Amino acid sequence: MMKNVIEIANLRVVRGGREVLPDLTVSVPAGQVVGLLGPSGSGKSTLIRAVVGVQVVESGEVTVLGEPAGSPSLRRRIGYVTQSPSVYDDLSVRANVRYFANILGAPASATDEAIEAVDLTSHADSLVGRLSGGQRSRVSLAAALVGDPELLVLDEPTVGLDPVLRRDLWELFNRLAAQGRSLLVSSHVMDEASRCDRLLLLREGQILADDTLPALLVRTETDDAEHAFLSLIDRAEEAAR
Ligand SMILES: Nc1ncnc2c1ncn2[C@@H]1O[C@H](COP(=O)(O)OP(=O)(O)OP(=O)(O)O)[C@@H](O)[C@H]1O
């Protein structure tokens, strides 16, 4: 297995005339759940868009699974879920997932397996338009899983979900990593840090920390991710003075 599934060097992205990612260098190891955490507007979605190859970049290099981001050969190897579920309301859960399975050339059995993985088997024949927000985002996730991707890139997949569903989804992410997949999962909820094998803390387009949660807590002498993040901000501001 390759060591890093994502390698980013000196990435610079400008959006709407603003430098959103000034000069970002980071890597994401294989076989882990890596949390991309940071406040709203810190650049998480922009970074994710660069990884999946849909973001115009000024300069820098983004290498994913050994290929330049956006390479056609990566399409089947990456599962990407955007913040708003991209599914068809007028189709059933099964028809939605089967549609993506057909595009990806996945075997027939993959549809029901992906629906099972996101715990929607009992709703497989329901129209997606009649599902709750959380169920709809799980349909999106099933669509991303159906091609059996090596890397899953999920942009705030747990937003708006109740605590039980959030826990269930994180358990699913951990299971997927245990099966050898790699996951990059963004969130602005700091307490989701405890669910990740490794954390990237992003603030104003800069990586404040790239570490495991236990190491981060030791280094900042704090007892949760939120305080660790605040402590790192204070240190960065002191250093800049
Ligand atoms: N389409 C766009 N055009 C111009 N600027 C944009 C666009 N989308 C985002 N931005 C700007 O880029 C910056 C980073 O946005 P981004 O969506 O990457 O942040 P984020 O960390 O994902 O935030 P959130 O958690 O709210 O989704 C913000 O300042 C935002 O205003």
Side-chain angles (χ1 to χ4, degrees), residues 14-21 38-49 55 83 155-156 159 186-188 202:
V14 175
R15 295 181 89 176
R18 264 197 68 227
E19 205 173 35
V20 175
L21 302 176
S40 181
S42 55
K44 303 182 296 296
S45 299
T46 305
L47 177 54
I48 280 183
R49 286 165 50 85
Q55 178 64 53
Q83 264 181 37
D155 199 352
E156 306 230 19
V159 152
S186 78
S187 176
H188 64 265
L202 194 66

Side-chain angles (χ1 to χ4, degrees), residues 17 26 32-33 39 59-60 80 89 111 125 137 149 153 160 166 170 172 203 208 213:
V26 76
Q32 297 199 351
V33 180
S59 54
Y80 171 40
D89 279 352
T111 298
D125 296 313
S137 32
V153 181
R166 274 174 49 194
W170 280 105
L172 170 63
R203 182 176 185 252
L208 271 190
L213 180 60

